[in-house]
Amino acid sequence: MMNSIEFNLREMPSADSYRLLVNLVVPRPIALVTSLNKDGLVNAAPFSFFNIMGVDPPVVALGIARDASRPLGLKDTARNILHTGEFVVHAVNETIAEAMNICGTDFPPEMSEIEAAGFTLLPSVQVKPPRIAEAAAQMECRHVNTVEIGRTRVLLGEIVHLHLNEAFYDAETGYVKTEALRMIGRMHGRAAYVRTADMFDMVRGSYAK
């Protein structure tokens, strides 16, 4: 039996627990989110505190921490979503990885990341924030709730419309060609990512068998 090191996260500084958890909970999917500010400027930012939480209705969760340097502690994306109630989540694969990383730069609020990243915008169908043409999949979302616990803020959104590049869809089976997407995930540290091309199958057994 291995010896374990114990951590009481309620008594640890948040920076220390952050360092432990983001190095432990990996890989994490990445959401590249577009939103609109009050002046109609498009903001694009990546988040790895992200996942799909259910499908009836389809719900996504974005973890956007408070930023003490911003008014009301709101980062641009959180402020925009709470103001407009709409956003678009883009799947991040190897094709747009470098451009996604540019969107993580701390540009001033009055500057859009889209031009710097070289992205092309397309109109969405059910929400006002535009979508990124280069992304293999774009999920139009409407904000439904926000949960705040201390400095942790989790925004929940319902996916109301999905755009998927036809190259990644099998019309006969109705399945996404997941292997062909070549998605990437967030790993530990400030610069570590992982490719998802190396996969293996493990069939779930049944109690009866």
Side-chain angles (χ1 to χ4, degrees):
M1 183 175 179
M2 293 187 297
N3 294 325
S4 63
I5 302 173
E6 310 298 325
F7 301 94
N8 186 333
L9 298 190
R10 285 195 153 188
E11 296 181 354
M12 290 178 61
S14 60
D16 292 341
S17 58
Y18 174 87
R19 185 171 61 250
L20 287 170
L21 294 173
V22 298
N23 284 268
L24 179 65
V25 184
V26 293
R28 300 187 303 279
I30 303 166
L32 179 58
V33 180
T34 52
S35 60
L36 291 175
N37 71 8
K38 59 182 178 60
D39 299 317
L41 183 71
V42 180
N43 175 270
F47 297 92
S48 66
F49 284 2
F50 155 74
N51 219 312
I52 184 168
M53 295 290 110
V55 295
D56 187 19
V59 171
V60 295
L62 289 174
I64 307 179
R66 285 182 173 273
D67 184 344
S69 67
R70 309 279 184 105
L72 302 177
L74 292 171
K75 292 184 177 180
D76 295 340
T77 299
R79 184 184 64 250
N80 294 347
I81 292 174
L82 294 175
H83 176 71
T84 67
E86 298 178 337
F87 59 103
V88 183
V89 171
H90 302 81
V92 178
N93 61 7
E94 292 181 37
T95 303
I96 67 169
E98 291 189 11
M100 173 277 298
N101 192 44
I102 291 173
C103 291
T105 304
D106 57 344
F107 292 107
E110 66 275 8
M111 182 176 180
S112 175
E113 296 82 3
I114 296 295
E115 184 176 353
F119 280 136
T120 306
L121 293 178
L122 294 174
S124 295
V125 173
Q126 297 194 47
V127 299
K128 290 181 180 179
R131 54 198 173 97
I132 295 170
E134 289 79 6
Q138 308 116 18
M139 293 168 276
E140 299 181 20
C141 303
R142 289 203 177 99
H143 175 242
V144 293
N145 200 4
T146 293
V147 179
E148 294 194 41
I149 306 172
R151 292 182 60 239
T152 295
R153 176 186 285 112
V154 180
L155 290 89
L156 301 175
E158 179 183 354
I159 304 171
V160 296
H161 202 96
L162 169 66
H163 306 264
L164 176 64
N165 187 314
E166 62 180 359
F168 304 111
Y169 182 67
D170 188 329
E172 291 186 4
T173 65
Y175 281 96
V176 175
K177 298 178 182 178
T178 307
E179 296 89 344
L181 280 170
R182 299 187 70 85
M183 301 290 286
I184 65 169
R186 194 76 164 86
M187 292 294 287
H188 57 287
R190 296 183 61 84
Y193 291 83
V194 64
R195 296 182 176 90
T196 58
D198 181 16
M199 294 182 288
F200 63 94
D201 290 335
M202 187 163 52
V203 178
R204 181 182 299 176
S206 69
Y207 179 75
K209 289 184 179 180

